[in-house]
């Protein structure tokens, strides 16, 4: 099986590259993709860069150029839900774009015509993630992921996103990957490890816990690959 794995920052994919060690670097445009042969799978790992545009471009390359049959996003996020703490792992049941606003035309926030507010992730990949969590004795959280092109470090904005979209975490890429995969009928799932609380101290927490939280998500993805049928 051909599987695409995305991370928005080098720190998010570095644990994967360090684990696999043997990989081929392929340059597409100004971006590097890393090809790995692992068990019965061919993996393409992408360092997408931050933001929805870059993530959508990377997901498009993975699916249209490299013919990835499934896409997994691995990375970190800011926690919105009160029960999430740094290092917790969340599986995105749905994604939304909190910064899309054409409400002047009577549409709900996050809605784009001929699309929808929420994109649901793949049921079979989510079931596999739950199975992996059980085998690792991990308390895998589930919830809505809200994406937008800004780093949320404001208690007021945090509460607005949480209340408006019922989101559990906030980040900058997941929903755009979901849009690409939904449009192309490619199963996807998104895993986010909590690096901060998306409030006034988010910048400090993010810098401190980025690498350790990224490893939590990356290690989980490796276990998913191990249990995934080829």
């Amino acid at each position: 099986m051909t599987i695409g794995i995305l991370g928005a920052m080098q720190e998010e994919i570095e644990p994967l590259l360090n684990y696999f060690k043997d990989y081929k670097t392929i340059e597409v445009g100004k971006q590097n993709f890393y090809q790995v042969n692992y068990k019965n799978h061919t993996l393409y790992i992408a360092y997408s860069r931050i933001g929805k545009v870059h993530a959508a471009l990377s997901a498009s390359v993975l699916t249209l150029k490299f013919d990835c049959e499934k896409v997994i996003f691995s990375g970190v996020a800011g926690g919105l839900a009160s029960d999430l703490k740094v290092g917790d792992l969340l599986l995105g049941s749905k994604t939304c774009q909190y910064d899309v606003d054409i409400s002047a035309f009577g549409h709900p926030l996050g809605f784009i015509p001929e699309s929808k507010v929420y994109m649901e992730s793949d049921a079979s990949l989510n079931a596999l993630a739950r199975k992996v969590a059980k085998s690792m004795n991990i308390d895998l959280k589930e919830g809505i992921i809200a994406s937008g092109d800004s780093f949320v470090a404001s208690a007021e904005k945090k509460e607005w996103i949480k209340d408006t979209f019922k989101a559990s975490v906030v980040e900058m890429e997941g929903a755009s990957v979901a849009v690409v995969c939904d449009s192309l009928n490619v199963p996807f799932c998104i895993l986010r490890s909590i690096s901060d609380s998306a409030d006034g101290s988010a910048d400090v927490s993010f810098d401190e816990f980025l690498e350790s939280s990224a490893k939590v998500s990356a290690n989980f993805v490796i276990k998913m690959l191990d249990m995934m049928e080829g």
Side-chain angles (χ1 to χ4, degrees):
M1 184 178 295
T2 306
I3 303 167
I5 304 173
L6 282 148
M9 293 174 287
Q10 191 66 36
E11 290 89 347
E12 292 176 327
I13 68 164
E14 202 66 41
L16 295 168
L17 299 180
N18 289 340
Y19 178 83
F20 296 123
K21 294 183 173 63
D22 185 20
Y23 52 85
K24 176 183 178 183
T25 303
I26 303 171
E27 186 174 351
V28 180
K30 297 180 180 180
Q31 184 180 359
N32 287 333
F33 294 80
Y34 304 94
Q35 181 182 336
V36 176
N37 294 318
Y38 183 66
K39 298 187 175 180
N40 296 323
H41 308 301
T42 299
L43 312 178
Y44 288 94
I45 302 172
Y47 159 39
S48 71
R49 292 173 290 179
I50 292 172
K52 291 193 294 177
V53 171
H54 289 127
L57 175 61
S58 298
S60 298
V61 172
L62 287 174
T63 51
L64 297 175
K65 180 176 177 60
F66 296 126
D67 297 319
C68 290
E69 301 163 76
K70 299 180 187 294
V71 171
I72 301 173
F73 198 108
S74 173
V76 301
L80 300 176
S82 58
D83 64 334
L84 290 174
K85 62 182 184 299
V86 170
D88 281 350
L89 189 62
L90 181 129
L91 175 66
S93 56
K94 300 177 184 178
T95 65
C96 63
Q97 299 183 68
Y98 71 78
D99 57 353
V100 169
D101 183 355
I102 52 171
S103 57
F105 299 97
H107 297 298
L109 293 172
F111 177 79
I112 294 174
E114 298 181 34
S115 186
K116 47 197 172 186
V117 175
Y118 297 99
M119 297 286 178
E120 294 187 6
S121 51
D122 182 65
S124 61
L125 283 173
N126 290 348
L128 175 61
R130 296 183 195 105
K131 183 178 178 181
V132 170
K134 186 176 181 179
S135 72
M136 296 176 68
N137 197 29
I138 289 177
D139 181 18
L140 180 65
K141 310 289 187 179
E142 296 189 42
I144 295 171
I145 293 175
S147 304
D149 281 317
S150 61
F151 181 80
V152 177
S154 158
E156 291 78 15
K157 190 168 187 178
K158 169 183 175 176
E159 291 304 316
W160 177 81
I161 295 170
K162 179 181 174 181
D163 293 343
T164 304
F165 295 97
K166 310 305 178 188
S168 294
V169 303
V170 63
E171 37 89 298
M172 299 176 66
E173 297 85 21
S176 60
V177 173
V179 168
V180 171
C181 291
D182 182 78
S183 297
L184 299 173
N185 294 314
V186 176
F188 73 93
C189 78
I190 300 176
L191 292 156
R192 290 291 193 174
S193 181
I194 306 305
S195 60
D196 61 85
S197 296
D199 53 18
S201 61
D203 54 340
V204 176
S205 176
F206 180 82
D207 287 339
E208 181 178 357
F209 295 109
L210 168 59
E211 291 189 12
S212 60
S213 294
K215 287 178 182 176
V216 170
S217 184
N219 289 339
F220 193 89
V221 169
I222 292 168
K223 294 296 184 183
M224 286 185 67
L225 296 171
D226 288 339
M227 295 181 70
M228 191 179 295
E229 295 181 0

